[in-house]
Amino acid sequence: PMRSRSLRAPRAPVASTAPLDTATGASPVAPTWQDGQALRHAECPICFEPLASGPVGVFLAGGRRVSNHFFNLGAAQEWLRSGNGHCPLTRLPISSVLAVPDLRADLQAWWRVVDVNGDGRLSRHELIEALKAQLPIDAAKLDDALADPSHWLWEQWDKDRSGFIERAEAPGLVAFVQQVFASSGGGKGPIPDMARDKLGWYNYWDEDSSGSLEKEEVVRALVKTLGLSTSPTRVQQMRSTVDAIWAVFDADGSESIERDEFLRPGEGLADTIVATMQHG
């Protein structure tokens, strides 16, 4: 019978560029960062913790924000201490982390932080992402509103069709969004046990039922399954490991793991993950 591979990054020929081993914490390769999954679920791009579950922060360089992205405050501070001095998403240099004021406590201070260019207005995209970062709201419904220029939300709050929300409109809009887009908090139920139900686990994370999981979806799924999101360092290790071994399991080079590549007995990603968890 075939033996399962190990979910360990393969050894590189040059020690200084050796990929990370999840057990030893050896030096990692630079992981491929994407923000799509985090933005979709209103989570921190570093640790996948829900942004609204705690304080959020932004990266600064020379006193100015380097991007429109929001991060879990603790994860951002740890990244600044132990990272490479660059934003994990934009790769721009960073020098500090600024805690974002709670919009429910100090709307004016919040606005000054989220209004990146200081022109006194927010684009629809800036507004939606800033609200998702702090409010327990239905992110999918707000994303639908963002994608539809004629959505009734803009009929009411962007009456001049400028594509921007003025500061004077913010208090009423925030209260309105909290009420109308409140999250139901239902969730999807518990994560299936991969050792007992590999297909169920795969389908749980294949949220669009496409029959494939992209790399960032796999990273997020493993982080959630293994309970790593409270440790940004361990999340980074997992990301580096997946990045290093991806080609081993993406047999057809499609940049995603199809269901058969995941379920293949002995050689698929599922059995590899299960074997790694069982053997520590």
Side-chain angles (χ1 to χ4, degrees), residues 167-184:
R167 184 183 303 185
E169 298 171 316
L173 175 58
V174 169
F176 180 79
V177 167
Q178 283 184 278
Q179 179 180 2
V180 175
F181 291 90
S183 174
S184 62

Side-chain angles (χ1 to χ4, degrees), residues 23-68:
T24 66
S27 56
V29 295
T32 301
W33 288 79
Q34 298 176 345
D35 62 4
Q37 286 297 308
L39 288 179
R40 176 182 176 186
H41 296 91
E43 295 173 344
C44 171
I46 296 176
C47 67
F48 295 107
E49 276 284 282
L51 286 169
S53 67
V56 295
V58 294
F59 286 120
L60 305 180
R64 299 179 63 86
R65 288 182 63 182
V66 301
S67 74
N68 291 332

Side-chain angles (χ1 to χ4, degrees), residues 12-234:
V14 181
S16 62
T17 60
L20 179 76
D21 184 300
T22 54
T24 66
S27 56
V29 295
T32 301
W33 288 79
Q34 298 176 345
D35 62 4
Q37 286 297 308
L39 288 179
R40 176 182 176 186
H41 296 91
E43 295 173 344
C44 171
I46 296 176
C47 67
F48 295 107
E49 276 284 282
L51 286 169
S53 67
V56 295
V58 294
F59 286 120
L60 305 180
R64 299 179 63 86
R65 288 182 63 182
V66 301
S67 74
N68 291 332
H69 297 100
F70 296 90
F71 303 86
N72 173 277
L73 181 59
Q77 292 169 334
E78 181 173 332
W79 178 268
L80 183 66
R81 288 192 300 269
S82 59
N84 58 9
H86 292 78
C87 171
L89 293 174
T90 66
R91 302 294 199 276
L92 294 172
I94 56 176
S95 57
S96 61
V97 176
L98 175 65
V100 179
D102 190 320
L103 65 87
R104 291 155 293 195
D106 191 343
L107 185 60
Q108 295 305 314
W110 172 83
W111 187 279
R112 287 194 294 271
V113 173
V114 300
D115 181 12
V116 178
N117 61 7
D119 64 356
R121 60 183 189 168
L122 298 178
S123 70
R124 295 177 180 182
H125 182 269
E126 287 176 316
L127 175 71
I128 293 300
E129 294 307 323
L131 293 177
K132 286 164 55 179
Q134 286 196 331
L135 299 178
I137 49 184
D138 190 321
K141 288 184 179 179
L142 272 181
D143 285 341
D144 289 342
L146 180 61
D148 181 4
S150 60
H151 191 277
W152 55 262
L153 178 65
W154 311 122
E155 294 276 347
Q156 181 166 350
W157 294 101
D158 184 20
K159 294 180 180 179
D160 62 359
R161 298 294 188 276
S162 67
F164 294 89
I165 305 299
E166 310 298 328
R167 184 183 303 185
E169 298 171 316
L173 175 58
V174 169
F176 180 79
V177 167
Q178 283 184 278
Q179 179 180 2
V180 175
F181 291 90
S183 174
S184 62
K188 298 192 304 177
I191 301 172
D193 183 340
M194 192 192 305
R196 299 178 181 178
D197 186 4
K198 298 179 181 65
L199 179 59
W201 187 93
Y202 188 94
N203 290 336
Y204 182 92
W205 296 110
D206 182 17
E207 295 177 326
D208 58 0
S209 300
S210 64
S212 66
L213 293 177
E214 296 180 353
K215 187 185 298 183
E216 194 73 1
E217 289 180 288
V218 171
V219 171
R220 179 175 180 268
L222 290 173
V223 166
K224 299 287 187 180
T225 298
L226 300 175
L228 306 180
S229 62
T230 57
S231 173
T233 299
R234 296 184 69 192

